[in-house]
Amino acid sequence: MDGRVTTLDRLAAADAAGPEVYEVTYDDAGKVLINGAPLAESASKSEPEPAPQPAEQPAPSAENGDGMGCHAGKEQMSAAAREAGQSEVLDRYAEDYPQGPHDQPQSMCPAFGSLRVGLRMKRTATVLSGSACCVYGLTFTSHFYGARRTVGYVPFNSETLVTGKLFEDIRDAVFELADPENYAAVVVTNLCVPTASGVPLRLLPKEINGVRIIGIDVPGFGVPTHAEAKDVLAGAMLGYAREEVMSGPVQAPDVPRPERPTIALVGEMFPADPVGIDQMLAPLGLAAGPVVPTREWRELYAALDSVAVAGIHPFYTSTFREFEAAGRTVIGSAPVGREGTADWLEAIGETCGVARKKVQQAKQGILPAIEGALSAMPIKGRITMSGYEGSELLVARLLIESGADVRYVGTAVPKTRFAETDRDWLEARGVHVQFRASLEQDLAAMAEFEPDLAIGTTPVVQKAKELSIPSLYFTNLISARPLMGPAGAGSLAMVINAALANKARFDTMTEFFEGVGTGHAAGVWADTPKDNPNFKKKYAARLAAKTKKVVEGSTGC
C-alpha cells in the first residue's frame, strides 16, 4: 500500500502500544459498565450527598458586574463570567469558535442548537437554567420545529442566583429526574445569566443511579451561533462516552454491529444522505456509521468504534477533538457533485488503506450516475447564497456543478481546517467565500452581484423580494434536501429552477404596487407623509438613554 500508515494500521498498532488509541468493546450482559477513575464521581439517587458548595463570591452588584441580567451587554457579561470563575470555559469557546473579523453574527439564540440536539435523543432529559424570557423563546422555537418533548426549567431570582441556591435547586432537579427506567442521560444547560454568575454545573455528579449527568454552558456571549452550540453538546456527550469506553466494556447499540468497518458521519443531514453514503462506501469494503449528533446514547459508542470520521459539516471542532483523541482520523468535505464525490472517495480510500483498484471501481460505479443526474436537470442563473447551518459551501459546490453561476457564499460558521477543501474549490472558480458572514455582508453581495436568485436567511430573502429578486430561505427549502451522491445531484434543480422562473411574477407585482410608497411613506395616503429625521433622532437618543439605564441597574430579568 505504498508504505502509507493508515488509520487501520494505527489501530492495529495500538493493541500493543497502550490506551492512547483504543478499540470499543461491548459487554455480554447488555449493561453499561461505568468504573475507574474517569467516572469516579457518581452518586446514588436514594442517598444524595450534600451539594458541593461553590467558592464564596462577593455579593453581586451593578458596580462589580456580578449578578447582571440578560439586558447587559456582551462585554459586561463576559467580564462577569470570568470574574465568577468561568475563564476556562470562555477561553475554550474562544479557541473552538473564533469570532473574527467582526462581532457575533445576527442569528437566533445559540442555545437552540444544543437544545435541539438533546431533544432529538431518546431517553434524554433536558433542563434549562436561564432567564424565563429566554427559556420561553427556546421552548417555543423547539416545539415549532417539531420537538414533542418536555423541557425542564429551574427558575431563579436575584436571591437564589447570588446566594448559590440556584445551583442547589438544579442539583435537586437532576436527582429527581435521574430515573434509569426513563432516562439514560440528563443534560443541564446554563444560559447567559447563570453562566455570567458562575453557576458551577461542573460540580454536579457525573452519574446518578446509572443516569449520566452532563452540564454545559451555552451563553450567547461565548458561543456565536446555534450551529456551534450543537457541537458544544455533541462534543460533551462524545467525550463522556469516550471515558466510558476507556473504563471498560459498554452496552452494545440496538442496531447490530456492521460486518464492514464503518465511517462515522458528523453533521445533521437529510435522512436519505447516510443511506446514499453507505452505498458509495460499500465497494470500498466500508459502511456508513452513526451520524453525530446521534439519536441514542449507545450510538456514540458505535461512532467511536468507526475506523475514520467524515466531517460532513466542518464546524464540529469539539466533536472532532474527541474523535482525534480516540485515534480516529477526520476527513473534511463530503460526496457532493461529481468532483466532490471523486475527491471524497479518494480521501476515504487513502485514510483507510483501501486498494487503489477498489477506489477506482467505486468511482466508476457512482460517478456516471451523478453526471447523468446533473446533466438531466441543469441550473442556469446567477446566484448568491448565505445561511447559518454550516452546509453552505457544500450546496454551492453542487449548484456550480449543476451549471449555476454562483458569485458569493456567506456562512455564519467560522473557517476551520476541515472546510479548506471546499473553500479552495470554490475560490478557484471565482466564488467569494465569507466565513462569519454578517447580514450587511450578505446584503452587500446581493447588491453587488445582482443575482437572478438569492438564497439566504429570512432578512436576506425579505430584502431580495423588496428588490423583485426571486429568493429562497436556505434552512427550510435548501438544507432540508438530500445533497450526497446521485440523489443530491438532482434534488436542488427543481426548486431552484422554479424560483428562477418567478422573476416575471415579481416584476409584475412590483409594477402593480408602484407608487404605494416605501418606508415612512408605505401605504395609501390622501397626502404623502413627510419624513421627520429630527424626531427620529430625538426618539432614538431617548431610547438609547432608557436602555443604558436598564443595563446599568439590571440584576436579572
Side-chain angles (χ1 to χ4, degrees):
M1 296 190 296
D2 303 328
R4 293 192 300 270
V5 178
T6 68
T7 296
L8 293 177
D9 296 327
R10 288 194 293 272
L11 291 174
D15 291 336
E20 183 177 356
V21 181
Y22 49 84
E23 294 280 9
V24 177
T25 57
Y26 303 111
D27 65 8
D28 296 326
K31 295 182 179 179
V32 181
L33 303 181
I34 301 179
N35 50 54
L39 296 174
E41 284 189 55
S42 62
S44 167
K45 184 179 178 182
S46 57
E47 297 180 4
E49 299 175 1
Q53 295 301 314
E56 189 170 328
Q57 299 288 339
S61 68
E63 286 73 25
N64 66 26
D66 292 328
M68 139 180 339
C70 62
H71 296 297
K74 179 178 175 181
E75 291 77 14
Q76 293 96 321
M77 296 197 78
S78 180
R82 291 185 179 280
E83 198 172 319
Q86 300 281 50
S87 293
E88 184 178 348
V89 172
L90 295 183
D91 289 343
R92 168 59 68 187
Y93 288 168
E95 181 180 347
D96 286 351
Y97 317 120
Q99 293 188 5
H102 59 79
D103 202 354
Q104 182 172 326
Q106 303 98 325
S107 64
M108 69 179 73
C109 171
F112 172 63
S114 56
L115 177 62
R116 173 176 169 141
V117 168
L119 290 177
R120 296 177 74 182
M121 287 190 69
K122 298 177 182 177
R123 291 177 48 79
T124 300
T126 299
V127 178
L128 297 178
S129 172
S131 298
C133 52
C134 302
V135 173
Y136 169 77
L138 288 168
T139 53
F140 174 85
T141 307
S142 66
H143 291 300
F144 177 81
Y145 278 90
R148 300 181 179 180
R149 301 277 294 279
T150 298
V151 178
Y153 171 47
V154 180
F156 66 88
N157 54 35
S158 296
E159 180 181 355
T160 61
L161 183 67
V162 303
T163 61
K165 181 66 166 57
L166 173 58
F167 174 76
E168 296 178 6
D169 291 342
I170 292 173
R171 190 174 186 275
D172 291 344
V174 167
F175 268 93
E176 185 176 341
L177 278 172
D179 182 355
E181 293 295 321
N182 297 320
Y183 299 115
V186 175
V187 177
V188 185
T189 302
N190 268 347
L191 303 179
C192 289
V193 173
T195 298
S197 300
V199 176
L201 297 183
R202 63 188 179 277
L203 298 182
L204 291 172
K206 293 282 189 179
E207 175 261 333
I208 300 173
N209 203 28
V211 178
R212 304 158 186 85
I213 310 301
I214 299 175
I216 58 172
D217 292 275
V218 188
F221 55 84
V223 181
T225 66
H226 86 282
E228 290 154 296
K230 296 177 187 177
D231 177 50
V232 172
L233 181 53
M237 287 185 163
L238 193 66
Y240 195 117
R242 187 169 66 85
E243 289 187 354
E244 290 181 306
V245 168
M246 292 172 66
S247 297
V250 293
Q251 189 175 12
D254 289 334
V255 179
R257 192 177 190 180
E259 295 182 1
R260 292 171 283 158
T262 59
I263 305 295
L265 311 176
V266 177
E268 291 183 326
M269 62 193 82
F270 192 76
D273 279 335
V275 177
I277 291 174
D278 185 72
Q279 294 172 348
M280 287 185 262
L281 291 173
L284 303 181
L286 301 169
V291 176
V292 180
T294 63
R295 298 298 185 93
E296 196 263 338
W297 185 272
R298 286 177 288 174
E299 290 178 0
L300 294 166
Y301 306 143
L304 290 165
D305 202 12
S306 298
V307 295
V309 179
I312 304 297
H313 290 177
F315 57 84
Y316 281 85
T317 303
S318 175
T319 302
F320 294 149
R321 182 168 56 244
E322 294 296 338
F323 274 119
E324 289 178 333
R328 273 52 174 175
T329 299
V330 180
I331 301 153
S333 193
V336 293
R338 186 197 182 283
E339 291 188 33
T341 301
D343 293 342
W344 188 79
L345 289 173
E346 288 279 359
I348 292 289
E350 182 177 353
T351 300
C352 297
V354 179
R356 291 285 306 162
K357 184 178 180 180
K358 277 191 173 183
V359 175
Q360 290 302 117
Q361 289 174 344
K363 290 163 61 177
Q364 291 169 4
I366 195 69
L367 297 185
I370 295 175
E371 290 174 350
L374 291 171
S375 60
M377 301 189 73
I379 297 173
K380 301 298 180 185
R382 182 181 300 172
I383 298 174
T384 58
M385 187 175 65
S386 55
Y388 47 61
E389 300 295 337
S391 59
E392 291 77 22
L393 275 64
L394 299 179
V395 173
R397 291 192 61 160
L398 191 54
L399 291 176
I400 290 174
E401 288 207 34
S402 298
D405 176 18
V406 179
R407 298 295 183 91
Y408 170 85
V409 178
T411 178
V413 300
K415 179 171 63 177
T416 70
R417 57 191 170 103
F418 299 108
E420 289 177 359
T421 298
D422 298 320
R423 181 202 62 193
D424 292 345
W425 190 93
L426 290 169
E427 290 182 344
R429 286 153 181 80
V431 181
H432 178 85
V433 179
Q434 181 65 55
F435 294 97
R436 282 284 187 246
S438 67
L439 174 61
E440 291 76 14
Q441 289 168 321
D442 294 341
L443 295 178
M446 185 168 61
E448 177 180 350
F449 297 116
E450 299 179 344
D452 301 308
L453 175 68
I455 301 173
T457 57
T458 302
V460 171
V461 169
Q462 178 183 359
K463 183 62 176 180
K465 290 179 177 178
E466 289 179 3
L467 299 173
S468 299
I469 299 174
S471 54
L472 293 171
Y473 180 38
F474 184 90
T475 299
N476 287 0
L477 296 175
I478 302 299
S479 67
R481 295 176 182 274
L483 298 177
M484 319 297 169
S491 69
L492 296 179
M494 185 176 297
V495 66
I496 295 292
N497 287 329
L500 286 168
N502 279 335
K503 176 60 176 172
R505 294 176 60 194
F506 276 92
D507 290 340
T508 300
M509 285 189 289
T510 299
E511 182 180 355
F512 179 81
F513 288 106
E514 186 69 31
V516 300
T518 58
H520 72 278
V524 179
W525 304 86
D527 297 312
T528 303
K530 295 182 179 180
D531 196 9
N532 192 336
N534 291 331
F535 174 78
K536 290 181 180 178
K537 185 177 180 180
K538 182 178 180 181
Y539 181 77
R542 187 187 305 169
L543 183 63
K546 186 180 295 185
T547 302
K548 182 179 180 182
K549 184 177 180 181
V550 170
V551 169
E552 291 178 346
S554 175
T555 57
C557 287

